[in-house]
């Protein structure tokens, strides 16, 4: 069963959660996050995704990991997040050659120790701007002006901190918002069921109760056709196929960040 807990307080600025599970295989969907994943035979960095990817871990293997907050992966790993986009790489390439050995011997405490050694202050502007992209009405040009950057400068900050540009992150977070709304529609609440290849069975009666056209509008899409195109690009499936598979929301919870849009909220204090 997938389980996640809050990170230690000293890591909370950059780390969204610490999680553990038993692999069920399946497909990983884009969620804007970067994870460090112990997959049973080694430690990998699962970079920010723009397309579906196979979990790559045999079913039944215990796994655990650390999930960076959106916009915190670059400083958390000490490397530009864009270099990890759509990749799953041996953590030794990022954290040092002995990274897997340390986690194999020390488990989760050793993994947290690795993160602690690399941690640097999160770029507050990049972080706030990344969260702002969770709001459907956010426009990149307006966001850039709000944080005092040009669009090119804002994109560069995103590439370092998030792994891709603000428009792409906005698309990913809108897709996750659709999955979250669908989960609520099914009476499953807003809590994600886990990022990595999680699947759940739902009854045909439950599936038929989901109004895709309304969910598309609520999630911020122009219409159901727009939702369908984006779902295919990001997941390789139609919305109906996704919901029938039991796919649920994943990644960091970013739906409660409306206050980020308040005047001056993008700028760091002091």
């Amino acid at each position: 069963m997938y389980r996640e807990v809050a990170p230690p307080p000293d890591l909370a600025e950059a780390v969204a959660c610490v999680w553990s599970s038993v692999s069920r295989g399946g497909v990983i969907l884009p969620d804007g996050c970067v994870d460090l994943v112990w997959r049973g035979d080694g430690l990998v960095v699962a970079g920010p995704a723009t397309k579906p990817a196979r979990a790559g871990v045999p079913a039944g293997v215990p796994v655990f990991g650390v999930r960076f907050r959106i916009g915190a992966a670059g400083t958390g790993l000490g490397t530009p997040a864009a270099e990890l986009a759509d990749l799953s790489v041996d953590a030794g390439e990022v954290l040092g050659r002995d990274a897997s050995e340390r986690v194999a011997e020390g488990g989760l405490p050793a993994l947290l120790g690795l993160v602690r050694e690399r941690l640097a202050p999160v770029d507050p502007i990049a972080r706030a701007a990344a969260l702002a992209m969770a709001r459907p009405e956010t426009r990149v040009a307006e966001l850039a002006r709000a944080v005092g950057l040009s669009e090119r400068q804002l994109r560069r900050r995103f590439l370092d901190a998030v792994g891709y540009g603000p428009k792409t992150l906005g698309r990913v977070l809108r897709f996750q918002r659709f999955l979250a709304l669908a989960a609520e529609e099914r009476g499953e609440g807003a809590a994600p069921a886990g990022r990595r290849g999680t699947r759940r069975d739902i009854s045909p009666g439950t599936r038929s109760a989901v109004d895709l056209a309304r969910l598309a509008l609520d999630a911020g899409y122009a219409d159901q056709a727009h939702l369908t195109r984006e779902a295919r690009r990001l997941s390789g499936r139609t919305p109906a196929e996704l919901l029938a598979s039991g796919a649920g929301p994943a990644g960091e919870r970013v739906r409660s960040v409306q206050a980020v849009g308040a005047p001056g909220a993008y700028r760091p204090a002091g």
Side-chain angles (χ1 to χ4, degrees):
M1 175 181 291
Y2 177 84
R3 178 173 179 269
E4 66 181 38
V5 298
D10 62 321
L11 301 182
E13 181 186 39
V15 174
C17 69
V18 178
W19 57 268
S20 61
S21 186
V22 175
S23 175
R24 300 178 64 183
V27 175
I28 302 166
L29 301 179
D31 62 11
C33 289
V34 174
D35 283 39
L36 283 171
V37 183
W38 174 256
R39 40 178 290 163
D41 59 356
L43 185 67
V44 300
V45 181
T50 61
K51 57 187 178 183
R54 305 299 301 180
V57 181
V61 174
V63 294
F64 60 84
V66 167
R67 180 166 306 140
F68 289 98
R69 295 189 184 280
I70 294 172
T75 52
L77 292 169
T79 192
E83 295 182 5
L84 303 167
D86 287 317
L87 295 175
S88 180
V89 302
D90 188 309
E93 299 180 21
V94 180
L95 301 176
R97 285 184 293 179
D98 63 344
S100 285
E101 294 177 5
R102 289 177 59 179
V103 178
E105 296 175 359
L108 181 57
L111 176 56
L112 295 175
L114 281 170
V115 175
R116 194 169 280 118
E117 290 173 10
R118 298 292 292 252
L119 207 59
V122 174
D123 179 345
I125 291 181
R127 167 69 176 166
L131 292 180
M133 293 310 300
R135 294 183 294 126
E137 66 272 23
T138 299
R139 298 292 177 264
V140 175
E142 295 173 358
L143 179 59
R145 285 195 293 273
V147 299
L149 300 174
S150 68
E151 289 190 55
R152 177 177 296 182
Q153 290 171 328
L154 181 63
R155 176 175 171 76
R156 189 178 307 123
R157 299 281 275 264
F158 265 69
L159 292 177
D160 287 343
V162 179
Y164 34 62
K167 290 183 179 178
T168 299
L169 179 63
R171 290 173 53 211
V172 169
L173 295 181
R174 183 172 52 195
F175 174 64
Q176 285 295 327
R177 187 162 51 251
F178 158 70
L179 293 176
L181 290 171
E184 292 179 11
E185 192 95 346
R186 297 192 299 253
E188 299 171 1
R195 182 187 186 203
R196 300 301 178 192
T198 299
R199 292 164 176 260
R200 284 166 290 176
D201 295 328
I202 55 177
S203 70
T206 303
R207 288 197 297 270
S208 64
V210 177
D211 184 339
L212 289 176
R214 178 172 50 75
L215 283 179
L217 295 177
D218 289 347
Y221 292 98
D223 51 31
Q224 186 174 343
H226 186 199
L227 165 63
T228 299
R229 291 194 300 273
E230 286 290 280
R232 284 189 181 280
R233 289 170 182 161
L234 293 170
S235 72
R237 299 182 181 184
T238 67
E241 289 171 341
L242 278 170
L243 300 188
S245 75
E252 184 182 2
R253 283 74 159 170
V254 293
R255 294 184 61 205
S256 59
V257 296
Q258 302 304 319
V260 174
Y266 301 117
R267 297 185 180 281

